């Protein structure tokens, strides 16, 4: 019996020149500089480097340790210079460093007035995890919230009983 397989999800390419973040982390400042040097060597050895694919790998396939840095650039040369500076213990354009603080959580809830019809629709279409979370929250809301959020009635979205749960869901 033949089994149906799901098509592999393909992430659309970013427009040329789009800056992306490359996160790095290590257990010490010295190890972080070594990590930057190794990544710089990887950039040097990779003439056909896809900066967006590298960003995804660094963000989703690496452990997160206490000492962190993010380098932001659009092209391999930009990453090369930022990684060199980071490896040498310097800062510079497109480099942010810091140390993770344990058990700190920040939440931001936008205030009423930031709502718009279809808000979250683009995120839900592009990111399955967001779509699943949005659906889970909307499932416990009054069904009118989902209908208004993805409907056409801008005036209905301005009603507090719909606006507040819609903003929370997104």
């Amino acid at each position: 019996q033949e089994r149906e397989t799901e098509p592999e999800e393909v992430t659309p390419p970013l427009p040329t020149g789009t800056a992306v973040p490359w996160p790095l982390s290590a257990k010490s400042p010295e190890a972080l500089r070594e990590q930057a040097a190794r990544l710089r060597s990887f950039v040097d050895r990779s003439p056909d480097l896809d900066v967006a694919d590298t960003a995804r790998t660094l963000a989703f396939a690496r452990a997160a340790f206490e000492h962190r840095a993010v380098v932001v650039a659009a092209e391999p040369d930009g990453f090369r210079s930022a990684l060199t500076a980071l490896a040498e213990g310097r800062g510079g354009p497109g480099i942010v460093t810091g140390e993770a603080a344990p058990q700190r959580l920040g939440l931001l809830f936008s205030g009423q007035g930031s709502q718009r019809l279809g808000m979250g629709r683009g995120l839900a279409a592009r990111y399955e995890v967001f779509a699943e979370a949005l659906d889970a929250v909307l499932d416990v809301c009054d069904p009118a919230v989902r209908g208004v959020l993805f409907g056409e009635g801008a005036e209905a979205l301005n009603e507090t009983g719909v606006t507040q749960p819609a903003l929370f869901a997104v």
Side-chain angles (χ1 to χ4, degrees):
Q1 177 180 10
E2 289 185 41
R3 291 178 43 187
E4 286 186 34
T5 58
E6 300 229 0
E8 185 178 317
E9 185 177 324
V10 177
T11 304
L14 294 173
T16 302
T18 300
V20 297
W22 283 9
L24 294 87
S25 72
K27 293 182 179 180
S28 70
E30 298 80 20
L32 186 62
R33 288 191 298 273
E34 291 169 11
Q35 175 70 7
R38 283 192 302 275
L39 191 53
R40 160 69 197 266
S41 294
F42 170 75
V43 173
D44 290 340
R45 294 188 316 268
S46 306
D48 297 324
L49 182 67
D50 183 320
V51 296
D53 282 345
T54 303
R56 276 188 284 281
T57 299
L58 290 169
F60 299 115
R62 301 280 189 245
F65 297 106
E66 299 82 29
H67 296 274
R68 299 179 184 181
V70 176
V71 293
V72 179
E75 302 296 331
D77 285 342
F79 284 106
R80 188 175 288 111
S81 63
L83 291 167
T84 298
L86 185 59
E88 294 173 354
R90 299 181 288 117
I95 302 171
V96 178
T97 60
E99 191 171 342
Q103 301 180 357
R104 292 180 65 191
L105 174 65
L107 301 173
L108 170 68
F109 293 100
S110 59
Q112 193 162 332
S114 60
Q115 71 274 8
R116 63 179 173 78
L117 286 176
M119 63 182 175
R121 185 178 295 158
L123 285 171
R126 183 164 176 130
Y127 300 103
E128 183 179 340
V129 69
F130 179 83
E132 290 170 0
L134 181 61
D135 280 342
V137 174
L138 289 174
D139 284 346
V140 297
C141 292
D142 183 308
V145 175
R146 182 186 306 267
V148 171
L149 182 61
F150 296 121
E152 300 297 324
E155 285 305 312
L157 186 59
N158 290 329
E159 295 176 19
T160 301
V162 173
T163 302
Q164 292 297 322
L167 287 169
F168 175 79
V170 172

